[in-house]
Amino acid sequence: MHRLFALVIALVLIAAACGGDDSAETTATTAGATTTTSAPATTTTTTAPATTTTEATTTTTTSPVPSGPDARPATPVSAIMGADPANETYFTTGTFDAGVMGIEPGAATAEWFRAEGFYVVFFSGVTTADTGPLCPGASVATDRFEFVSNAPSAGADCSSFSTLSSDPTVRALECNGSIAYRTAIPEDSVGILFGTLEKPVDAGIMGITSLSDSSVGEIPEVDLSLLEC
């Protein structure tokens, strides 16, 4: 009995021990469980700033079309007026006076061109504001003097000149105070070209002239509208 009782007690203890193990394995534990909630993805839209394109403005500068005597071509045939050693100034009844003539010797240049089939001489450095009205003239020296002529500028009285031309195409060309002369010398003439400015003074004629060799270079054409404006 004692042994049976002891056996029963032992069985009960074993059963209790086994029962405790089963409870640990089968009991669901809910405490401390972690629930994870996924937040919906946030979409961020970034709008790029509008690109502004600035087109460069091209400014075209149009140079004015050259006009007037300053637009004349260069010429290789020219000569200083009243230059030494020729001392080509004169007054038929006295002494040349630059103050009366309005031109200092050596200060002006006779430049030669061609137009209308004839020679043209432009008197660079001369202004009629200083000289007053003039009687420009020209001739060519070959084996003799040829095609000698004069013509009046605006306001000039050249009626006493024996070489005054009656040809209306032989004329003074004026533009804002400058003066040139369309001569009676054909453009194929070869020799020494005389370009002269004269004016009547008292009872005589005062003048200043120049000598240019026509053969030293090619004499260019000139548009007479540049010299006569």
Side-chain angles (χ1 to χ4, degrees):
M1 180 84 178
H2 177 74
R3 293 181 60 184
L4 179 61
F5 179 78
L7 179 60
V8 172
I9 293 302
L11 291 174
V12 171
L13 292 173
I14 292 170
C18 292
D21 293 339
D22 290 342
S23 176
E25 291 176 1
T26 59
T27 301
T29 303
T30 59
T34 303
T35 302
T36 303
T37 303
S38 299
T42 301
T43 303
T44 302
T45 303
T46 302
T47 303
T51 302
T52 301
T53 303
T54 302
E55 294 185 2
T57 301
T58 302
T59 302
T60 302
T61 302
T62 303
S63 299
V65 177
S67 61
D70 287 346
R72 69 190 184 279
T75 178
V77 179
S78 65
I80 302 298
M81 301 190 71
D84 290 331
N87 192 30
E88 288 142 10
T89 61
Y90 52 89
F91 184 30
T92 56
T93 61
T95 303
F96 176 86
D97 186 334
V100 173
M101 190 69 200
I103 306 171
E104 289 286 344
T109 304
E111 300 178 354
W112 289 88
F113 302 94
R114 294 180 296 117
E116 301 177 346
F118 292 83
Y119 283 127
V120 175
V121 56
F122 177 77
F123 299 100
S124 177
V126 176
T127 173
T128 54
D130 294 333
T131 65
L134 295 168
C135 303
S139 62
V140 60
T142 53
D143 55 346
R144 63 188 186 280
F145 281 99
E146 296 183 281
F147 308 109
V148 183
S149 69
N150 289 86
S153 70
D157 179 6
C158 308
S159 58
S160 61
F161 285 62
S162 61
T163 53
L164 189 65
S165 176
S166 60
D167 182 348
T169 64
V170 177
R171 63 195 188 278
L173 310 169
E174 298 181 76
C175 182
N176 299 324
S178 70
I179 188 164
Y181 184 53
R182 196 292 222 166
T183 77
I185 307 169
E187 66 177 7
D188 59 354
S189 301
V190 178
I192 302 301
L193 299 168
F194 285 74
T196 304
L197 290 172
E198 298 176 307
K199 66 195 305 186
V201 177
D202 299 330
I205 294 173
M206 187 177 291
I208 183 169
T209 191
S210 61
L211 288 75
S212 303
D213 185 346
S214 69
S215 65
V216 299
E218 184 66 25
I219 297 177
E221 290 272 352
V222 69
D223 182 351
L224 292 186
S225 68
L226 298 177
L227 309 179
E228 190 175 36
C229 63

